[in-house]
Amino acid sequence: MNVAADIVGGIANGLREVWSNKVRSLLSMSGIILGVAALVAMVGVVQGMVGNLRASFEGRGGVLRLDINDQELPESQQHLAGLSPGRTLRDAEAISQNVFLASHVGAEVNLRWQRFEADGQVTFGVLLGVIPDNIVFDQRELMDGRFIADLDVDHSQPVIVIGSWLREQLFPNRGSVIGERIRIREGIYTIVGEFADLQTSVAGVPRGSGLNRWNYIPATTAIKRFRENDQVDRLTVMAASASVIPDVISQVENTLLLTHRGVRDFIVETQEESMAELQRLERSFTFSLGGIAAISLLVGGIGIMNVMLASVSERIREIGVRKAIGARSHDIFLQFLAEAVAISILGGLIGLFLSVGLLAGLREIIPDGGSISGMPVVPMLYGFLFSTLVGLVSGIYPALRAARLDPIDALRYE
Amino acid sequence: MSSAVFQLSDIRRSYYVGNEWVHAINGLDLTIPDGQFLAVIGSSGSGKSTLMHILGFMDTPTEGKMEFEGSDVTGIGRRSRAHLRANRIGFVFQSFNLLPRLSVMDNVLLPLFYGRSGMSRADRRAAGMAALERVDLQHRWQHTPNQLSGGERQRVAIARALINSPRLILADEPTGNLDSRNREKIMDLFVKLVGEGITLVVVTHDDAVAAYAHRRIRMQDGRIVEDDAA
Ligand SMILES: Nc1ncnc2c1ncn2[C@@H]1O[C@H](COP(=O)(O)OP(=O)(O)O)[C@@H](O)[C@H]1O
Ligand SMILES: [Mg+2]
């Protein structure tokens, strides 16, 4: 006996049965349809969003990035508190000179919101003091001019690299603005570069509007003109490769112990924690949303079981006839099982179509939804597999009931 | 070599209902020779249908010995019985029992599916056509049962019983739902089939139907109380 042909034939017969009962079949499928559509769409969205987070994480240096943060002094060093100068530009310098396994060193002085003035126009934006490597960490692209250079930092030059917001507000309808001057507080700054407009955003945070208002001046200029002390707010190191991260950490620590005069008021943090956080986030999203979808699939399974039970009691006589002319219990079992599977396969396929539509809509609605795949193949495969499995499982009991019917009783049934 | 299709010896079929035994068949001996047209008559509740179910391998006797085509089939299992139903026996019911959603052709071909004939599609189609020709309905093969009259439906049911070239056809009140004109048509068809070598057992309480048979047995309380052949 050819089992494969039996199964294919059974499903074909099942589809015919489904077709002859269109409305009822569609109703019984609705749970599966919604379940599959929800499963695929939700997992697709989560993957897209997490993909965004991962991309921005990778963009900012990924696992290679080390953050040097302030730390409470250990008990034994409490009395040395005043001794250390804290994180300064000298740290950045020392690291780039001594830590040869570091590929980039970034430092940032965050001057927050400032008032910018030019051509009689006024606007507000974020001002950051940086060093040349920051362009790598912040992943910015220049549209015109150049970024802050070593010489700018060395000589505390009054130069600025602006974002698209400033150019729109201060210099509307203008060509290149390189060489133009901007006033911030009492200082005048010459524009040396302009960033490309950022359309994208990260995980719902509209990145475009935010980051486009960021503007950069040399860190030394920022400290001299805006600060009382010479501390920086961020200190970042990029390791040359993943394998040397431990070496970079110890080299950075040794270097900073020198500049901080032996005071351990800093800590070198890797991205491991944020990486793990990202994975936890993805997992919990996938499981909770997948769980919701799984529940609707379960409900779909109950719907199929219900309809199959109704179908069995409606066709008791048919089952009797089939048995009388030679069907074995096992034939009847397969017949009804195939019908349940046919319903779920059809429902699953409709659900997949629906999910493609849903995803297309969600891509439009969700900020930065462009990274959501319109056809997430793996979730779709899973969705289809699960729905078929649900049909299979929910078909077993009704099929067993059909198979167990006694032909004589079934034939007598009116 | 026995030339009997069926040989039943001291068959009993009892049900335990409430708290007493009901003996639907109560010590029955019957030999059905090859090619015989046998009519089973008797009042309602006398055990005729139970006998047919036993002959049709849908039911098994609680006691007694049963031989089919010369071999002992007394204790055979469900699988073997299904196989015999599909391949060796044709069943015709009072209420036709065609599957309403299948075409006439597909109804006729159904036993081939369960008989696991291994025939090609074309061969099956040809066999179905041949069976429909024997009941003179070859032109209706695409119709569905509800497009046919009662008499035509019963002829389709007979074609379905013929599809596996069985030696034995069992018919329980085959004309019970038909008018006299259709009844005659069906009986003429049966006579023709018997003439072609088929063994036929018909349950009826219609004397006109019984008159067509070679032999009549009358049942009462699960036993044969009258037999032409004796
Ligand atoms: N499944 C059953 N359970 C209990 N009694 C039954 C069952 N089937 C048949 N009988 C009894 O067996 C007797 C014979 O029934 P049946 O063979 O149907 O008679 P007939 O077909 O001659 O009218 C009847 O008394 C009937 O009530
Ligand atoms: Mg009866």
Side-chain angles (χ1 to χ4, degrees), chain A residues 236-250:
Chain A
T236 338
V237 176
M238 182 122 47
S241 75
S243 57
V244 302
I245 288 175
D247 299 329
V248 172
I249 292 175
S250 62

Side-chain angles (χ1 to χ4, degrees), chain A residues 344-395:
Chain A
S344 65
I345 284 182
L346 209 61
L349 286 176
I350 297 174
L352 288 186
F353 271 107
L354 200 65
S355 74
V356 171
L358 262 176
L359 282 171
L362 288 171
R363 278 161 62 100
E364 293 300 313
I365 296 167
I366 295 179
D368 201 20
S371 60
I372 298 171
S373 164
M375 261 208 196
V377 175
V378 173
M380 285 176 99
L381 270 176
Y382 273 113
F384 188 67
L385 216 72
F386 278 135
S387 63
T388 308
L389 204 69
V390 162
L392 197 70
V393 170
S394 56

